[in-house]
Amino acid sequence: MSDEVNFTAKDGRFGFYFDQTLCNGCRACQISCKDKHDLPLGVNWRKVVEYVGGDLDGESESPNVFSYYTSISCNHCEDPICVEVCPTTAMTIREDGTVYVDQTKCIGCRYCQWACPYGAPQLNSDTGRMSKCDLCYDYRASGQNPACVDACPTRALHWGPIDELRAEHGDVAGIAPLPDPSITKPHLVITPHKDAQTWDEATGEIANSKEI
């Protein structure tokens, strides 16, 4: 895939592609996002989730132990629940399909945060308003990649028109511990880790729940 994406692409509907097989959990994407947007303590627009499980008792001759990482942010969904529940229309969809918070309308009620199955919107206690990933709108407008994409040392993250990403990488998005993708139709494509579980067979647990 080319590193250059046409920001004015008429098909719009931008989203993320994540290659789970390449992610080593370094959190460079998470740190770069936090630094770029100067986010306060406790607010992380991108998170790296470690998911573990399997037979850990040592009694099995072939123990099925697994561990993998998922880098996740707002998925700029096709049917964003955050937009539906927002009482002030602060949650807005741009022409390119990305979802952002209109700070002039937001009252910090947190309805969007409670409704989003990915927990993407987060309250910024410094401003009293909701905040979330906007797929680095300012960077994209100047021809740059989102901060998280350029920061990834293994190139596990990419972005672009979701139709193009799906044509190249498939349409898998429901990998545990993420929820059923039919709920919001996320603009997300995942190349699963070899041990990845689907959302409806999730037998593992999040290892870094306190962190995220």
Side-chain angles (χ1 to χ4, degrees), residues 72-136:
I72 190 71
S73 69
C74 174
N75 295 305
H76 304 284
C77 303
E78 193 74 22
D79 296 326
I81 292 180
C82 61
V83 174
E84 181 179 339
V85 303
C86 179
T88 67
T89 68
M91 281 291 175
T92 305
I93 304 176
R94 285 195 171 97
E95 291 183 357
D96 63 7
T98 57
V99 182
Y100 78 104
V101 186
D102 186 336
Q103 296 292 306
T104 67
K105 296 180 179 180
C106 181
I107 58 175
C109 68
R110 303 181 75 166
Y111 285 0
C112 54
Q113 181 177 5
W114 298 330
C116 175
Y118 300 94
Q122 296 168 58
L123 180 68
N124 185 327
S125 58
D126 291 349
T127 65
R129 297 181 178 89
M130 303 309 296
S131 67
K132 60 177 288 300
C133 160
D134 65 355
L135 220 159
C136 282

Side-chain angles (χ1 to χ4, degrees), residues 1-2 16-19 22 155-173 188-192:
M1 179 190 299
S2 171
F16 284 109
Y17 164 65
F18 174 59
D19 189 339
L22 298 178
R155 295 295 178 257
L157 275 173
H158 295 280
W159 73 284
I162 191 61
D163 290 342
E164 293 182 12
L165 295 177
R166 287 171 177 157
E168 184 171 354
H169 303 289
D171 60 1
V172 174
L188 173 68
V189 175
I190 299 174
T191 293

